[in-house]
Amino acid sequence: MRTVLRRRRSALLAATLLIGLTACADGTAGQASSPSSSPSSSPSSSPSSTSAAAPPPSCAQQTLAGLPLDRRVGQLLMVGVPATDPVAGAAALSGVPVGGLFLHGRSSAGVEAVGAAVARLQADAEIPLQVAVDQEGGSVQTLTGPGFDRIPSAVEQGRQDPATLQAGTAQWAGQLHAAGITMDLAPVADTVPAGTEAANPPIGAFDRQFGSDPVAVATAVTTVVAALQDHHVVATVKHFPGLGRVSVNTDTDLGASDPQTNAADPYLQPFAAAVDAGVGAVMVSSATYPQLDPDSPALFSPAVLGLLRDQLGFDGVVISDDVGNAAAVSQTPVAQRAVDSVAAGVDVVLTVSPDDAVPMTQALAERATADPAFAARVEQAAGRVLALKERFGLLTC
């Protein structure tokens, strides 16, 4: 299957050559590889038998098998807590066993203080938490203070040669790791056409893009992904399939739409390159892409998620953009946002609002209880979440 997916992806990227772009090199996707089979300790009783012994279950598989439905569902949620006091924020979740926490807002407490708080959160968690921040650089940097460098904007980073960018990102990643942060909701893989930056409120207006050429953006994205993950921080490329050509901010307004993106779009190249580089997670946007799905925002669209899975070959964790406060999804009831995104193929539902944890977990569990196909989707998603935790050393058995 992977060979077929690589051929499809190669065909997509080869098509971009026709308009002057260079295709990405093939590589491996972000999911942890399964254990290799070991030889049988005794000869087969059947001379005609040629099958090898089945590999032992991974730690993630063992953990998943022991989880009741409510805890499987919990692994699918990443809930916001204040970066200034994440311990108090987690205590307000009413005992919901979420799989991840997002430190939102801004904290200038520094590495040591943040690390102490995260250590308390992990000590209280039955299953280790994915602890995420927005540490892009420029105007989007959650953590500052003693031990955290000020990170330049993505526009500035994109002007650096790969070796310089790699060295800088490695230093920033090491600081995150020292503070107990396990996931960075970065890098931004959106390409913003030259001259349109000011008219692109979510990305270009804040210098969050690496550039206007998808080939150059792909190079920067893969450099950042590798440097983060080499220092044990999961990279999360965003916002698939791209927010670089929308004229509306999904956080603050309705109607964000990109009429140009299609399945052969060269602006997909940075995402494809990140997949090939082994990125651990991909964030899907809440804008609408009429050429891919005219009826649903990307995070509710099986067609958009199918493009990521089937054409780009990504088998890691898909995380939604925020569904708590984002205006783009405000017309969908809170609980339904979780159900619709998971049904479409999202593995982790991100909400900055802790009040969403209870209604979302209840809705997911109720749907899984009533619908065996949805229960299987929950199991698949929870398995991916746990496999990513195992891959980066969070989950051990």
Side-chain angles (χ1 to χ4, degrees):
M1 180 65 177
R2 177 57 58 78
T3 300
V4 173
L5 295 177
R6 285 176 175 164
R7 287 173 179 166
R8 290 178 180 172
R9 184 161 66 248
S10 296
L12 164 68
L13 298 180
T16 67
L17 283 167
L18 299 177
I19 52 175
L21 295 175
T22 302
C24 295
D26 278 342
T28 57
Q31 189 71 12
S33 59
S34 58
S36 59
S37 299
S38 57
S40 175
S41 58
S42 60
S44 171
S45 59
S46 171
S48 61
S49 175
T50 58
S51 60
S58 66
C59 181
Q61 291 168 333
Q62 294 177 52
T63 303
L64 179 64
L67 292 182
L69 179 60
D70 64 329
R71 294 196 173 274
R72 289 187 178 192
V73 164
Q75 289 299 303
L76 275 55
L77 289 186
M78 178 174 282
V79 180
V81 294
T84 51
D85 194 352
V87 174
L93 293 180
S94 304
V96 176
V98 299
L101 296 174
F102 168 58
L103 277 55
H104 70 84
R106 297 291 184 268
S107 168
S108 59
V111 169
E112 186 175 347
V114 173
V118 172
R120 288 182 60 187
L121 293 171
Q122 295 289 21
D124 292 338
E126 182 178 339
I127 297 174
L129 295 161
Q130 201 74 265
V131 181
V133 293
D134 271 327
Q135 200 83 341
E136 300 174 17
S139 62
V140 183
Q141 181 173 345
T142 301
L143 303 177
T144 58
F148 288 115
D149 292 344
R150 283 283 183 179
I151 304 173
S153 71
V155 166
E156 295 175 80
Q157 294 176 48
R159 296 180 181 134
Q160 298 174 352
D161 63 84
T164 302
L165 180 57
Q166 190 280 334
T169 305
Q171 181 165 317
W172 309 323
Q175 294 165 358
L176 289 176
H177 182 64
I181 303 303
T182 66
M183 174 180 278
D184 191 4
L185 301 184
V188 169
D190 309 323
T191 302
V192 180
T196 69
E197 294 85 356
N200 178 237
I203 308 299
F206 294 98
D207 290 343
R208 298 174 67 194
Q209 76 281 13
F210 288 113
S212 59
D213 174 10
V215 175
V217 172
T219 298
V221 164
T222 55
T223 300
V224 171
V225 165
L228 283 170
Q229 296 191 163
D230 284 348
H231 289 78
H232 314 290
V233 177
V234 180
T236 308
V237 294
K238 58 186 185 184
H239 309 78
F240 186 81
L243 285 178
R245 293 184 294 211
V246 300
S247 58
V248 171
N249 192 331
T250 56
D251 289 338
T252 58
D253 295 287
L254 294 169
S257 178
D258 173 358
Q260 295 178 256
T261 296
N262 57 54
D265 197 317
Y267 279 31
L268 294 177
Q269 185 167 349
F271 296 98
V275 170
D276 285 346
V279 71
V282 174
M283 178 180 286
V284 62
S285 90
S286 50
T288 301
Y289 302 83
Q291 292 202 53
L292 299 175
D293 184 342
D295 300 320
S296 301
L299 79 173
F300 297 153
S301 171
V304 173
L305 273 299
L307 173 66
L308 176 61
R309 295 292 191 196
D310 299 334
Q311 186 164 300
L312 271 63
F314 182 63
D315 58 2
V317 168
V318 174
I319 182 170
S320 74
D321 204 347
D322 172 48
V323 298
N325 292 342
V329 295
S330 59
Q331 296 182 325
T332 302
V334 167
Q336 196 64 35
R337 297 171 200 171
V339 172
D340 288 353
S341 55
V342 171
V346 167
D347 302 309
V348 173
V349 181
L350 171 64
T351 174
V352 300
S353 173
D355 294 338
D356 293 346
V358 170
M360 284 184 173
T361 53
Q362 288 177 344
L364 289 167
E366 288 171 3
R367 173 70 179 271
T369 300
D371 181 353
F374 190 79
R377 174 80 269 277
V378 167
E379 180 177 3
Q380 179 189 53
R384 288 190 179 124
V385 171
L386 293 169
L388 184 63
K389 290 180 178 182
E390 182 179 6
R391 174 186 169 188
F392 282 84
L394 271 177
L395 185 67
T396 57
C397 294

